[in-house]
Amino acid sequence: MALEEPLLAPRPSSERSSIRYAEEEDALLTGERTPRRESRRGWGFWREVGAFAWAIIATIIVIVLAVVYQHESAKGHHDSRNNWGPGGKPTGKRNLIFMVSDGMGPTSLSMTRSFRQHTEGLPIDDTLILDQHHIGTSRTRSSNSLVTDSAAGATAFSCGFKSYNEAISVLPDHSPCGTVLEAASLAGYKTGLVVTTRLTDATPACFVAHANLRRYEDSIAEQEAGEHPLGRVVDLMMGGGRCHFLPNTTDGSCRGDDRDLVEVASKNGFNYLQDRAGFDSLKGGSEAKLPLLGLFAGGDIPYEVDRRSQNDKYPSLEEMTRTALTTLSEATRDSEQGFFIMIEGSRIDHAGHGNDPVAQVHEVIAYDRAFAAVLEFLEKDSTPGVVVSTSDHETGGLSAARQLHKSYPEYLWLPGELGKAKHSSEYAYAKLKEYISGAGKDDHESKQRAYIRKTLLEEDLGITDATDDEVEILLHPDPQVSSDHVFADMLSRRAQIGWSTHGHSAVDVNIYASSSQDAWPLMGNHENIEIGHFLADYLDLDVAAVTKRLQSSSYWTASGEEAVDQEKYSWLGDPLGSKVRTEGLDTYHGDFRKRSIDECGCGGLH
Ligand SMILES: *[C@@H]1O[C@H](CO)[C@@H](O)[C@H](O)[C@H]1NC(C)=O
Ligand SMILES: [Zn+2]
Ligand SMILES: [Zn+2]
């Protein structure tokens, strides 16, 4: 049978029998004497044995050398990647800049790159600055879903743990986890947050606050203002979200109570800035004094595509970034420790939720500019540092192609159509609402149609071929479909850009860094919590000690008093009991048939 054939090829024949040869080989390998006939051996025999022994020894030497060489070269390779000091830890004074492009997936980059090449007449090898610093990818699932939200995503970065969607730096058992920013602050670093959304929104919140649910933004504002078990932990905050800091007796408040958090922040030392003039008074950071709280919008700062024509009202992400870096650099000039800052391109995510490709390409370009500003800072600043940039997840299931008809699709998408728009769908929708309830309220419908067609579609969005049906649905909207989604879909279809959801998706997202030598642990494909581990490791922080402190600290109330009669973690807010599944994945229960827009109740979450 074939299986019983010898596995090794037969040896070349010699003048001696192969049986004796095999016995001798055994003896050489085992050291045992070969039972052999007592007979005289000739010179030729011993010469052969010697040659054979030498061949074996030589083979062993070659193998040993090869193994040693491989080991050494692997070690050498590792060393060249690991730029960190002895003991595998970074040494010396250093700064860490962590950037989050909320909701930016790989397709956001492709779409924006092509959009920019097309609209600015650049060559096909012209890339974004980010493209030139790509070092890896991140897997984004949370503890209770393959599709994370921003809260669980940012908790992975801030605490280095997986938690459930909606968790603001609390673990699946609803206990608080220490964050890299808190640990940095306790270790003597200056700390900062720069965002384009509300400062109480999930991503910034996860670095400085703890809450069982992201919607407890009033409590998050309190913690940011310094009502925190560890006291004030953040030195610089810039972004939107003023409404959660103003008492509900004030215009522009969205708080549920009449507490004045601006006053609380001021009492805790914050210098408060509330508008563009306040921002400009910082003179790029040279006039800034820490701690600093800059709330430059009631809610979110407008999308870049809309902000650029209101530059006198709102600073850009790049401006805030440059000012914050200068401020923190100056503030740490003579200290032993540098700074940690989290900078977020927050609204890339919102453009994804809105399925608005125009808003998104401008958000990504604005983020790329901020990233370039950080690189420039790192190059010029005398303190070494690193910037790591990643996303918490992708939003929208964006696709740079779209089948519009039943017939087989064309292979293309049309960036020029996005270039015609001057504003976002959000902007056009706000203008439509204002017109319909204000100036145009009593207009004849034909005049209202003309306003929609001329002003909103042609002038603002660059759509010159709207059908009567499209105009009609904007004038008499389907109650289940918000009109900003109609505007966004009109833009997307014309550019042949596809979206699979108004929510998030599970695709891996990119990791970027100023230098793969400094950020070597993040090269390749990683779980998102490893990014959190990197942040703590780079600054050599003991985040676990902060967790211990938060979990064992006396029962804590908003005013900082001990409250022995309260439940231990009541300051984290109601976990909403059994409604929140914090671990394990949901399973199929026929949702595709029964789920309607009314049942979902998930519209407001990002
Ligand atoms: C304002 O806050 C107070 C408590 O601080 C509360 O009783 C009241 O209902 C709030 N009003 C609104 C409109 O939210
Ligand atoms: Zn997000
Ligand atoms: Zn989102």
Side-chain angles (χ1 to χ4, degrees), residues 354-357 425 483-493 499:
N355 287 188
D356 183 338
S425 55
S483 289
D484 55 338
H485 291 173
V486 175
F487 284 125
D489 189 51
M490 289 174 74
L491 290 165
S492 296
R493 283 175 183 276
W499 304 89

Side-chain angles (χ1 to χ4, degrees), residues 102-103 149-150 203 349 392-393 504 606:
D102 200 310
D149 81 330
S150 295
T203 310
D349 174 62
D392 47 356
H393 53 76
H504 298 171
H606 295 300

Side-chain angles (χ1 to χ4, degrees), residues 137 152 303 530:
T137 51
Y303 283 130
E530 293 176 69

Side-chain angles (χ1 to χ4, degrees), residues 209 402 549 552:
R402 178 167 184 158
R549 216 168 129 175
S552 66

Side-chain angles (χ1 to χ4, degrees), residues 13 26 59 75 80 106 127 153 181 187 198 225 356-357 365 416 516 592:
S13 60
D26 268 0
T59 303
K75 226 172 66 183
S80 74
T127 59
L181 188 145
R198 306 177 307 286
D356 183 338
I365 289 171
S516 57
F592 91 97

